[in-house]
Amino acid sequence: MSCIMESADFRAEALRIGGVKVRTERSIDVVNPYSGERVGTVAMASVEDVRRAMDIAHAYVPTLSRYERSAILNRAAALLRERTDEASSIITAESGLCKKDSTYEIGRVADVLNFGANEALRDDGQVFSCDLTPHGKKRKVITTREPLLGVITAITPFNHPMNQVAHKVVPAVATNNRMVLKPSEKVPLSAYYFADLLYEAGLPVEMLQVVTGDPREIADELLTHRHVDLVTFTGGVAIGKYIASKAGYRRMVLELGGNDPLIVMDDADLDKASDLAVQGSYKNSGQRCTAVKRMLVHEKVAAEFTERVVAKTWAWRYGDPMDKANEMGTVIDEAAARHFEKVVNEAIAQGARLLVGNVREGALYSPTVLDRVRPEMTVVREETFGPVSPIITFKDIDEAIRISNGTAFGLSSGICTNRMDDITRFAKELQVGTVNLWEVPGYRIELTPFGGIKDSGLGYKEGVQEAIKSFTNCKAFTLPW
């Protein structure tokens, strides 16, 4: 009989409900995608566990002042920065992301905490005079933002194990809300670590409950429980649309997939553009909704651009995620790697040319470049959530815009050109939530608005400042003036 080896840093996690570590008879194994070692287990919540978490959250009335909320978040950020190596190693162990990527992620999480702390101090209420028209009155309207009456359900994906959690939890804390969090069962250890950090920093335990389990068993309760006012979800389109069908008369913030292009015009600095291309394709093992999923390149410069991308792809070191010299680890699991292999092979069979990569060993999938790719091929029509660089050529800006807008997604984009007329057209005509000039599609800071349209989401934004708006009710108060 074969057995799965257990990691020396094994973590056995319980649910976090009302400040109690709740252990259950059933558990879920967490396995390192690279080594196959079991790096932890998490308790498997039942529907009753979810209901208890909701009841505890709903019964609690947060009374933290703005200063207290800010202090908790800043304290958690400081603790996390002190423990960067430990926290990043947890991410690497459960997700297969390389140490470079997981260390960078910890920095981003600390940024989210600091930005949340700043926003907790900022009163974004407005004051309106009412004597603005012939029939106006001598009154003022003052707006305030208040926490939701009910509980926020947050459901997070595997690709940024701690940062995705932070982008749900931090705005909730900053606004005195209560949240029940269900992290991905593939990478739950980071979420428990983050929750414990906040408790240590002084967060009342009732404000954040964490449950893990089989989505088929507990998801509907998380979506439809009578105490839920808002569902915030980051993940795939199919699940997002299922949530929309189930949530009913509840607020929803759905950040879904992307099929983001890097568009390279014929005047572009090709060395700089190819740097952006490989970084945007392979960072985080290509598992980002804003990764470069398609490279749209003007036919006049396609040959030279492709040559540079291939050379830089060969130089991109991948392998053992714990080796700090490697720039890429594994993808989330072997099934995902097999999927990338399948869609690449399908594209080759349909006439695409493999220039480098398409080598798989378990969950390890090599950085891969294809050219002669056509827009109708699955590898670019659908979201390929891995380290694949498909190159599509176009003849002019009209065709570039048409190809870019020709998928169901509308999340982000990157543009490489110095011509102001082209820049203006891309900014106006690309059907996306973000247009980045001379940057990868995924560029953002943790404060700024982020989100997409079409199948990439409902248009509601993440980013700390925008999430706070979604997580609050705006109340108007009027008075004689």
Side-chain angles (χ1 to χ4, degrees):
M1 289 179 60
S2 62
C3 64
I4 297 176
M5 297 294 291
E6 201 166 280
S7 167
D9 299 315
F10 186 85
R11 304 176 73 90
E13 295 289 4
L15 311 177
R16 305 295 195 271
I17 300 178
V20 177
K21 292 186 177 182
V22 178
R23 304 202 178 271
T24 60
E25 291 183 0
R26 301 176 301 162
S27 65
I28 300 171
D29 287 340
V30 183
V31 177
N32 182 312
Y34 179 73
S35 67
E37 288 182 320
R38 202 167 64 124
V39 295
T41 60
V42 291
M44 193 170 178
S46 65
V47 170
E48 284 305 314
D49 292 321
V50 173
R51 289 173 179 163
R52 188 163 71 258
M54 289 288 178
D55 288 343
I56 290 170
H58 189 258
Y60 184 73
V61 180
T63 58
L64 296 174
S65 69
R66 287 180 178 271
Y67 170 77
E68 288 168 333
R69 285 173 258 159
S70 180
I72 288 167
L73 293 171
N74 274 328
R75 201 174 298 128
L79 290 171
L80 184 61
R81 290 187 197 277
E82 290 171 5
R83 302 170 190 176
T84 294
D85 188 59
E86 178 185 48
S88 63
S89 291
I90 293 170
I91 292 175
T92 292
E94 67 180 349
S95 70
L97 294 175
C98 73
K99 258 303 236 185
K100 283 185 179 179
D101 287 339
S102 63
T103 300
Y104 181 69
E105 178 164 342
I106 295 303
R108 292 183 65 190
V109 174
D111 287 349
V112 177
L113 287 160
N114 287 141
F115 282 131
N118 293 341
E119 291 301 306
L121 297 177
R122 189 172 71 90
D123 190 333
D124 63 350
Q126 295 175 283
V127 179
F128 300 86
S129 295
C130 297
D131 58 346
L132 306 179
T133 68
H135 52 274
K137 293 186 176 183
K138 293 181 179 180
R139 296 185 68 84
K140 292 279 191 186
V141 175
I142 301 170
T143 66
T144 60
R145 288 197 172 273
E146 298 180 344
L148 303 181
L149 297 177
V151 178
I152 298 173
T153 287
I155 302 173
T156 58
F158 66 80
N159 57 317
H160 291 286
M162 197 180 295
N163 198 41
Q164 296 280 15
V165 168
H167 271 287
K168 311 296 187 189
V169 175
V170 169
V173 174
T175 50
N176 250 352
N177 273 290
R178 299 144 296 169
M179 175 173 280
V180 175
L181 166 71
K182 191 206 83 65
S184 167
E185 62 278 8
K186 294 181 179 181
V187 290
L189 304 177
S190 302
Y192 283 115
Y193 186 91
F194 186 70
D196 288 346
L197 203 74
L198 284 165
Y199 302 146
E200 183 181 345
L203 182 71
V205 293
E206 297 88 351
M207 288 178 68
L208 177 61
Q209 325 285 314
V210 186
V211 296
T212 40
D214 185 342
R216 295 167 297 183
E217 182 179 349
I218 64 173
D220 282 3
E221 191 65 28
L222 288 162
L223 303 177
T224 63
H225 191 282
R226 67 189 185 281
H227 292 328
V228 175
D229 263 11
L230 166 71
V231 178
T232 175
F233 168 78
T234 301
V237 175
I239 297 173
K241 290 186 175 181
Y242 176 81
I243 289 171
S245 74
K246 295 292 292 188
Y249 190 63
R250 292 175 179 83
R251 204 174 302 181
M252 286 175 286
V253 178
L254 305 178
E255 202 283 283
L256 308 180
N259 200 350
D260 300 343
L262 182 73
I263 302 176
V264 181
M265 297 298 288
D266 56 336
D267 69 314
D269 176 333
L270 296 184
D271 193 52
K272 187 176 178 181
S274 56
D275 276 346
L276 294 174
V278 297
Q279 291 165 16
S281 291
Y282 309 140
K283 285 286 187 184
N284 223 66
S285 300
Q287 298 170 131
R288 303 173 70 189
C289 53
T290 54
V292 173
K293 309 284 174 50
R294 299 175 287 160
M295 299 177 185
L296 310 187
V297 187
H298 196 290
E299 60 187 15
K300 290 182 180 178
V301 296
E304 185 180 348
F305 173 82
T306 300
E307 186 178 318
R308 290 172 184 265
V309 168
V310 168
K312 291 172 183 179
T313 298
W314 276 115
W316 199 266
R317 290 190 57 175
Y318 76 103
D320 183 352
M322 286 300 293
D323 183 344
K324 293 181 180 180
N326 281 333
E327 295 167 296
M328 196 178 91
T330 71
V331 296
I332 188 61
D333 53 30
E334 184 174 343
R338 287 185 181 277
H339 172 69
F340 307 143
E341 191 177 35
K342 176 184 174 184
V343 295
V344 167
N345 284 334
E346 178 188 293
I348 294 167
Q350 293 171 349
R353 180 172 61 168
L354 176 66
L355 300 175
V356 57
N358 199 29
V359 176
R360 185 189 62 78
E361 184 180 344
L364 202 61
Y365 184 80
S366 63
T368 297
V369 182
L370 294 168
D371 71 351
R372 300 177 185 171
V373 174
R374 300 189 307 278
E376 67 271 16
M377 292 179 177
T378 304
V379 72
V380 287
R381 189 184 73 251
E382 298 178 3
E383 181 181 25
T384 301
F385 207 66
V388 180
S389 299
I391 297 173
I392 302 170
T393 59
F394 61 84
K395 66 179 184 299
D396 56 30
I397 188 171
D398 292 325
E399 187 177 18
I401 292 170
R402 186 167 63 252
I403 293 171
S404 180
N405 291 342
T407 77
F409 298 93
L411 186 54
S412 193
S413 60
I415 309 300
C416 298
T417 183
N418 296 313
R419 287 192 293 258
M420 200 62 204
D421 54 344
D422 287 350
I423 292 166
T424 303
R425 282 199 63 188
F426 284 127
K428 288 181 177 179
E429 297 180 38
L430 291 181
Q431 297 168 353
V432 292
T434 300
V435 179
N436 287 325
L437 177 63
W438 283 112
E439 252 301 349
V440 294
Y443 180 77
R444 58 188 284 205
I445 63 171
E446 312 305 319
L447 179 65
T448 54
F450 171 77
I453 57 175
K454 299 163 68 176
D455 272 4
S456 292
L458 298 177
Y460 294 102
K461 298 287 190 175
E462 290 195 330
V464 173
Q465 200 170 89
E466 289 295 316
I468 281 174
K469 295 177 185 177
S470 295
F471 286 18
T472 51
N473 290 321
C474 183
K475 178 182 283 184
F477 169 63
T478 84
L479 68 162
W481 196 266

